[in-house]
Amino acid sequence: MAVLPIRITGDPVLHAPAAPVTEFDDALRTLVDDMFETMDAAPGVGLAGPQVGVPLRLFVFGWTDDDDVLHRGVAVNPVLWISPTGIGELDEDAEAEGCLSFPGERFPLRRAESVILEAVDLDGTPFEIRADGWLARIFQHEFDHLDGVLYVDRLSHPFAKAAKKVQKKNSWGVPGLSWLPGRDHLDD
């Protein structure tokens, strides 16, 4: 297993739709193992193929809820069914989100409270997960990556403006930038 470099916003692979996975082989298993190792080293709660430069429709996730239940897995060629999004003022703490491809920053973003994830596992076996709260947020965030959307692309004013300032300050938004968990120090 290996920790892979994580692409930073501006890399073309992050801003284009990913292709379906068609080969369920040892190379896919190795990629997924490396993605788990990378996500854990970052540390993060999810990581999509495009974030490690692989333009395929898959993501890994790993999150422990308030009841100490570990939700960990891989979703290949997922479909996401999203409940209607709530209305009202954003809670800047409870709805704050971060992204390993926009490292060290968090901004509030309204997401649906509930989703249904349909996907296949590494053997091509279909499964379904009904998720609420943070797990639903993780699924929506990672699924967006498969469509070439970063969470900062969804931010509303004034948070979109703040994100653009951070991007400019860090000289992000250009192809070829990445960071390596465990080696590169980024302010969290």
Side-chain angles (χ1 to χ4, degrees):
M1 291 194 320
V3 173
L4 304 172
I6 297 174
R7 305 295 173 97
I8 294 175
T9 187
D11 196 292
V13 72
L14 293 172
H15 304 284
V21 173
T22 57
E23 299 291 324
F24 292 79
D25 55 12
D26 287 342
L28 180 64
R29 291 180 191 292
T30 299
L31 171 63
V32 168
D33 287 344
D34 291 348
M35 288 174 64
F36 273 118
E37 187 168 341
T38 303
M39 177 186 72
D40 293 341
V45 294
L47 187 67
Q51 291 183 275
V52 293
V54 179
L56 293 175
R57 295 190 74 80
L58 78 149
F59 65 81
V60 297
F61 60 94
W63 174 71
T64 303
D65 66 22
D66 292 338
D67 296 324
D68 286 331
V69 175
L70 176 63
H71 304 272
R72 190 170 176 89
V74 58
V76 180
N77 296 332
V79 174
L80 196 64
W81 302 95
I82 302 173
S83 68
T85 305
I87 57 173
E89 193 169 323
L90 275 172
D91 182 323
E92 292 187 35
D93 292 322
E95 295 182 279
E97 201 167 301
C99 181
L100 297 175
S101 292
F102 203 91
E105 302 296 327
R106 294 180 63 80
F107 297 101
L109 176 64
R110 177 68 36 87
R111 294 277 192 185
E113 182 62 27
S114 299
V115 300
I116 298 172
L117 173 70
E118 295 176 351
V120 297
D121 64 17
L122 289 176
D123 296 317
T125 304
F127 68 89
E128 178 180 294
I129 300 174
R130 295 173 186 270
D132 298 303
W134 276 103
L135 188 57
R137 179 177 292 274
I138 293 166
F139 289 167
Q140 291 169 81
H141 181 106
E142 299 310 324
F143 188 81
D144 273 354
H145 276 298
L146 305 182
D147 289 335
V149 176
L150 274 67
Y151 90 106
V152 292
D153 298 332
R154 294 189 177 277
L155 296 176
S156 60
H157 184 76
F159 308 108
K161 184 176 181 180
K164 287 193 184 307
K165 285 176 113 174
V166 167
Q167 181 173 314
K168 184 176 181 180
K169 175 185 167 209
N170 287 299
S171 300
W172 297 341
V174 297
L177 299 178
S178 66
W179 68 281
L180 189 63
R183 190 191 80 198
D184 296 332
H185 174 68
L186 296 169
D187 296 327
D188 293 340

